[in-house]
């Protein structure tokens, strides 16, 4: 029998509607899962059982009266801790931050609350969100539920781990270079980085988005029906538009899909990852898609230039802190950020301009393609206490080549599980679509999900 904690959001809403299940029962089951597993997983911060139970009871009353607030009323959710929720401080992963309660919900959190979601907790992240890791100077070390000795990835580390562990069906993360898709790939879940501006966010920044992490494509689509609603606080948000998020049907026949196995810079591709992604492409080819190999579009200069730009950006934040607070930052991140002081203004501008080159090369690539497939990450696992798969602050972004390009080009990209290594680690397939074609990306992900065959059981701790 499937535990209530493992039911999808789509199933939960259906059962709330026919009154065969209550949000109170579900919230209790998820809280029991968290109580049992969280001492090992360490994915959450600011867990609020009393608030969750109260919100679930209110949702149960609304469903009983036939007046749910929205599509996810009564669905348990978690929210990454750098997304403001009223009354809860945002440490942004670092002990250097003063803990001041947020004055109001940020746009993505507000949309979930407005729709009646049961907010369980915030999820953990590394210092300033600048690691693909569960390592943090403020939070306990988050681990991957598939293997506690390995890393969940990041920076949406706690969100990825919570999704794989069944801490409810919807988890909200953020992504500026792969921070949703990388942990989604390493934790075996679905993680969508939408088009820039599709989900209003505060504060907005170049390439920065919020997005859902779930166990199924349908749950991601359900979350998007709520999260994509407009909010005037984001000056980079897209104009409101009606999108049929629940219509996930697509026939792959005739779709022109590029297969990008090499990205052009960074870590070498692990053969097991390459084999799984190639097999996924062949599955879509068998369904009628036209698969064609495409060349790498990232260069060493692009990746290093972005590193220069981000180091200077980080130093702008860190330099303002008193030394007593600066000393609390994770040493890896402090060393990386402080090196930004040695970058010249010209080097930083050139670094930023590399993001424009990424946009140009991505646009040229999609001139003749509907979608691109690639690995989500070049490797499938790395130690839990490492800051990144390379674990070297002088080489911080060797693993984000497959993901970061699409942040800078503002295109939607989703990671979905496409297999496992011999050791049992999940492998992520990335599906990238044309700018603004978020629904198309989810449709192709659903087409693959329907064809990939049975998945391994979710981990049990």
């Amino acid at each position: 029998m499937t535990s209530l904690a493992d039911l999808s959001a789509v199933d939960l809403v259906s059962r709330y509607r026919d009154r065969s299940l209550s949000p109170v029962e579900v919230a209790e089951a998820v809280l029991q899962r968290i109580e049992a597993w969280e001492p090992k997983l360490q994915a959450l911060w600011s867990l609020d059982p009393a608030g969750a139970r109260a919100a679930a009871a209110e949702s149960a009353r609304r469903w009983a009266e036939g007046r749910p607030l929205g599509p996810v009323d009564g669905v348990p959710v978690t929210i990454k801790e750098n997304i403001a929720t009223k009354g809860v401080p945002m440490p942004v992963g670092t002990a250097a931050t003063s803990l001041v309660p947020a004055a109001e919900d940020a746009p993505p959190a507000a949309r979930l609350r407005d729709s009646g979601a049961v907010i369980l907790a915030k999820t953990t992240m590394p210092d300033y969100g600048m690691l693909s890791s569960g390592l943090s100077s403020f939070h306990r070390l988050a681990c991957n539920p598939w293997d506690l000795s390995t890393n969940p990835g990041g920076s949406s580390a706690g969100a990825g781990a919570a999704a794989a562990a069944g801490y409810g069906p919807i988890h909200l993360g953020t992504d500026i270079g792969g921070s949703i898709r990388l942990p989604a790939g390493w934790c075996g879940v679905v993680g969508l980085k939408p088009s820039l501006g599709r989900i209003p966010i505060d504060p907005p920044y170049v390439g920065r988005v919020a997005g859902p992490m779930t166990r199924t494509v349908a749950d991601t689509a359900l979350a998007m029906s709520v999260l994509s609603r407009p909010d005037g606080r984001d000056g980079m948000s897209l104009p409101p538009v009606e999108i049929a998020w629940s219509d996930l049907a697509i026939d792959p026949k005739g779709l022109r899909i590029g297969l990008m196995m090499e990205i052009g810079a960074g870590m070498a591709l692990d053969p097991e990852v390459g084999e799984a992604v190639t097999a996924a492409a062949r599955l879509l080819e068998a369904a009628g898609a036209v698969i064609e190999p495409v060349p790498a579009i990232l260069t060493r200069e692009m990746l290093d230039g972005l590193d220069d730009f981000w180091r200077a950006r980080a130093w702008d934040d860190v330099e303002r802190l008193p030394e007593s607070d600066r000393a609390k930052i994770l040493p890896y991140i402090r060393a990386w950020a402080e090196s930004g002081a040695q970058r010249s203004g010209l080097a930083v501008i050139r670094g930023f301009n590399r993001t424009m080159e990424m946009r140009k090369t991505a646009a040229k690539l999609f001139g003749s393609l509907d979608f691109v497939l690639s690995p989500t990450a070049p490797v499938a696992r790395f130690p839990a206490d490492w800051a990144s798969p390379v674990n070297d602050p002088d080489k911080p972004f060797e693993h984000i080549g497959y993901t970061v390009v699409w942040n800078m080009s503002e295109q939607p990209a989703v990671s979905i599980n496409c297999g496992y290594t011999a050791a049992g680690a999940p492998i992520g397939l990335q599906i990238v679509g044309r700018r603004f074609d978020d629904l198309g990306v989810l449709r192709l992900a659903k087409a693959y999900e329907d064809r990939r065959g049975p998945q391994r059981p979710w981990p049990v701790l």
Side-chain angles (χ1 to χ4, degrees):
M1 180 181 294
T2 301
S3 165
L4 296 183
D6 293 313
L7 291 177
S8 72
V10 171
D11 287 340
L12 290 179
V13 172
S14 176
R15 293 189 61 179
Y16 294 161
R17 185 173 290 111
D18 68 18
R19 301 190 186 182
S20 64
L21 192 61
S22 164
V24 173
E25 298 172 84
V26 175
E28 204 59 47
V30 174
L31 288 170
Q32 288 175 11
R33 171 74 57 84
I34 291 170
E35 182 180 9
W37 290 14
E38 186 58 11
K40 295 180 180 179
L41 204 59
Q42 303 179 151
L44 304 182
W45 184 70
S46 192
L47 175 65
D48 183 13
R53 289 185 174 104
E58 292 171 4
S59 175
R61 284 193 290 272
R62 290 192 295 270
W63 280 108
E65 296 169 1
R67 53 177 188 86
L69 288 178
V72 296
D73 201 333
V75 174
V77 304
T78 70
I79 298 174
K80 189 175 177 182
E81 60 100 325
N82 66 336
I83 299 173
T85 51
K86 186 176 181 179
V88 180
M90 292 188 299
V92 293
T94 179
T97 302
S98 298
L99 299 181
V100 179
E104 61 181 356
D105 288 340
R111 299 294 80 77
L112 289 171
R113 201 186 299 274
D114 292 346
S115 188
V118 175
I119 299 174
L120 299 165
K122 308 301 283 287
T123 49
T124 61
M125 60 183 284
D127 291 55
Y128 300 109
M130 292 310 296
L131 294 178
S132 296
S133 173
L135 191 62
S136 164
S137 64
F138 179 82
H139 300 295
R140 298 175 299 167
L141 178 66
C143 300
N144 192 321
W146 290 93
D147 180 347
L148 295 176
S149 71
T150 64
N151 210 296
S155 63
S156 302
Y167 288 10
I170 295 176
H171 307 270
L172 183 61
T174 63
D175 190 316
I176 199 172
S179 289
I180 287 172
R181 289 156 292 158
L182 289 168
W186 287 321
C187 292
V189 302
V190 178
L192 174 67
K193 182 208 81 66
S195 299
L196 184 73
R198 179 66 69 202
I199 296 176
I201 193 169
D202 183 29
Y205 199 78
V206 175
R208 182 172 183 260
V209 302
M213 302 172 74
T214 71
R215 288 181 170 184
T216 68
V217 176
D219 275 3
T220 291
L222 179 64
M224 287 300 295
S225 73
V226 173
L227 294 168
S228 60
R229 292 173 180 173
D231 192 298
R233 287 174 285 177
D234 183 356
M236 299 171 71
S237 62
L238 299 176
V241 60
E242 289 296 323
I243 297 176
W245 292 107
S246 63
D247 181 6
L248 295 174
I250 189 173
D251 183 356
K253 186 175 182 180
L255 291 176
R256 297 185 63 84
I257 301 177
L259 179 59
M260 186 180 291
M261 297 305 295
E262 299 296 334
I263 192 59
M267 299 177 70
L269 182 64
D270 182 289
E272 284 189 288
V273 174
E275 290 169 8
V277 171
T278 300
R282 298 298 166 240
L283 198 62
L284 291 172
E285 186 175 47
V290 178
I291 305 291
E292 55 184 276
V294 293
I297 61 173
L298 186 71
T299 66
R300 184 77 254 174
E301 292 75 18
M302 288 177 185
L303 193 58
D304 289 346
L306 185 62
D307 186 15
D308 286 338
F309 171 58
W310 277 350
R311 285 176 193 255
R313 171 179 172 258
W315 177 238
D316 180 43
D317 291 331
V318 171
E319 187 271 340
R320 305 179 199 185
L321 298 175
E323 176 56 33
S324 58
D325 288 338
R326 202 181 301 172
K328 300 174 184 177
I329 299 173
L330 193 73
Y332 180 108
I333 288 295
R334 177 173 177 172
W336 174 76
E338 288 181 343
S339 69
Q342 279 72 57
R343 266 55 179 181
S344 70
L346 181 59
V348 174
I349 288 297
R350 283 176 174 166
F352 179 77
N353 286 340
R354 299 295 188 190
T355 67
M356 299 298 106
E357 294 176 20
M358 293 183 199
R359 291 175 66 107
K360 183 176 180 179
T361 56
K364 183 178 179 180
L365 177 69
F366 271 83
S368 60
L369 297 173
D370 299 304
F371 301 95
V372 165
L373 305 180
S374 80
T376 302
V379 296
R381 62 190 298 174
F382 63 101
D385 58 355
W386 280 22
S388 76
V390 175
N391 205 33
D392 181 351
D394 290 331
K395 300 177 180 179
F397 301 131
E398 298 300 291
H399 57 290
I400 69 170
Y402 288 105
T403 52
V404 70
V405 171
W406 315 115
N407 291 80
M408 300 307 130
S409 68
E410 303 183 5
Q411 292 171 246
V414 66
S415 179
I416 183 170
N417 188 56
C418 67
Y420 308 85
T421 66
I427 297 171
L429 165 71
Q430 182 176 229
I431 302 173
V432 187
R434 295 177 182 271
R435 197 163 169 236
F436 310 133
D437 190 20
D438 303 69
L439 181 57
V441 163
L442 291 183
R443 283 174 169 168
L444 188 58
K446 184 66 166 63
Y448 171 70
E449 183 182 56
D450 288 344
R451 290 166 171 81
R452 69 183 175 184
Q455 294 288 281
R456 295 187 182 183
W458 291 102
V460 177
L461 298 183

